[in-house]
Amino acid sequence: MEAKHSERSHAKLSASSSARWLACPPSALLNAKVADTASDFAREGTCAHELAEYKVNKLLGHNVRDPTENLDFFDSEMSECTDSYVQYIAEETAKYHQPVVMVEQRLDFSSYVPDGFGTGDCIIVADETLTVIDFKYGKNVLVSAENNSQMMLYALGALELFDILYDITEIKMVIFQPRMENVSEYTISVSDLLEWAEHILKPTAQLAAEGKGEFQVGEHCRFCKVKATCRKRAEYNLMLAQYDFAMPAELEDTEIEAILEKADKLTSWVNDIKDYALSQALAGKQWT
Ligand code: SF4
């Protein structure tokens, strides 16, 4: 029986965190040491996924039980969003002759990533195309399918399953993010995907699994569990904060513009440190 969404285990080198560990390999082991804390947003997303899974299974004619009454979160928005997701899948499958559709399929990409596995929300195999669809219920960060490493890992896992049975030449990756009115589609050839997997993914995943590689600061830090205490990020932000105040005594407009450019990153870093310090204080830590 398929595990409930909330009970799923997560790989150390998970697909969903791959953008981070591909950019900053040593972050993988550091993050693995920090326990997951499920926020209300995450729990809401889990409920939306359970409802979406049910509706797609129903579309496919499977005999499934409606989970709605047991969901911790449910409202009309969730109902509409999952309806539109099912509608999209119905339209996609209608494009093909006798497509194979898999829902919540466990995908193993451990040929490239040590112990790598994940769950694809919906996989459609038809003719020469493998379509990988990911339902995202978040409404804060717009997610693009273009060169999306999470989707590329799922695609590799799906290829392992279906490549022997089908003559797949291209992968269509889809992010379906209804609360941001975002349906992002991106197609990559199987040969390009495999080249990336062999030459970039595999060696970087090996470094990440061993806690090696270079720390690298970037947008991906936003989703890092050690972002508040990361020394590399602190060094980077303190460097940003340095400014050579040139003569004359008052700043020129261009200098103010340069500072403003850095201000968002600095503010976000300082807020992360404050949040961390507060959570530690609430847990009994006394800052002096
Ligand atoms: S905060 Fe950024 S630089 Fe530091 S470990 Fe995390 S991802 Fe790497």
Side-chain angles (χ1 to χ4, degrees), residues 99-155:
V100 172
V101 185
M102 315 289 293
V103 187
E104 296 298 317
Q105 176 65 44
R106 184 181 162 103
L107 301 168
D108 185 326
F109 43 86
S110 57
S111 307
Y112 302 96
V113 176
D115 301 322
F117 67 90
T119 307
D121 290 337
C122 183
I123 311 283
I124 302 171
V125 194
D127 306 332
E128 297 173 343
T129 305
L130 175 76
T131 304
V132 182
I133 305 172
D134 200 48
F135 176 70
K136 297 227 181 273
Y137 200 57
K139 59 176 179 181
N140 291 321
V141 182
L142 193 81
V143 185
S144 166
E146 185 171 348
N147 291 322
N148 182 310
S149 59
Q150 177 183 9
M151 303 303 284
M152 288 158 86
L153 290 179
Y154 288 163

Side-chain angles (χ1 to χ4, degrees), residues 20 24 27 30 215-217 220-221 224 226-227 230 232-233:
R20 174 182 40 73
C24 177
S27 69
L30 291 177
F215 284 94
Q216 180 71 45
V217 176
H220 52 271
C221 294
C224 180
V226 299
K227 65 183 176 184
C230 173
K232 183 76 178 182
R233 189 166 177 242

Side-chain angles (χ1 to χ4, degrees), residues 68-205:
T68 309
E69 65 178 16
N70 295 320
L71 295 177
D72 294 334
F73 294 85
F74 175 75
D75 58 15
S76 58
E77 184 183 22
M78 191 181 286
S79 178
E80 284 161 22
C81 287
T82 46
D83 279 349
S84 60
Y85 172 63
V86 173
Q87 175 69 27
Y88 178 83
I89 290 176
E91 286 166 11
E92 279 301 298
T93 51
K95 291 177 184 169
Y96 303 105
H97 178 61
Q98 294 189 327
V100 172
V101 185
M102 315 289 293
V103 187
E104 296 298 317
Q105 176 65 44
R106 184 181 162 103
L107 301 168
D108 185 326
F109 43 86
S110 57
S111 307
Y112 302 96
V113 176
D115 301 322
F117 67 90
T119 307
D121 290 337
C122 183
I123 311 283
I124 302 171
V125 194
D127 306 332
E128 297 173 343
T129 305
L130 175 76
T131 304
V132 182
I133 305 172
D134 200 48
F135 176 70
K136 297 227 181 273
Y137 200 57
K139 59 176 179 181
N140 291 321
V141 182
L142 193 81
V143 185
S144 166
E146 185 171 348
N147 291 322
N148 182 310
S149 59
Q150 177 183 9
M151 303 303 284
M152 288 158 86
L153 290 179
Y154 288 163
L156 288 167
L159 269 183
E160 295 271 325
L161 285 177
F162 299 110
D163 203 27
I164 204 157
L165 302 170
Y166 296 83
D167 192 16
I168 299 165
T169 58
E170 63 172 21
I171 314 274
K172 180 175 171 184
M173 308 190 291
V174 182
I175 299 287
F176 191 89
Q177 193 176 16
R179 291 167 107 190
M180 296 198 79
E181 296 183 2
N182 173 35
V183 181
S184 175
E185 301 176 341
Y186 184 73
T187 300
I188 183 172
S189 69
V190 169
S191 55
D192 283 353
L193 178 70
L194 293 178
E195 189 172 322
W196 170 79
E198 206 54 56
H199 299 295
I200 294 179
L201 173 64
K202 207 169 178 176
T204 313

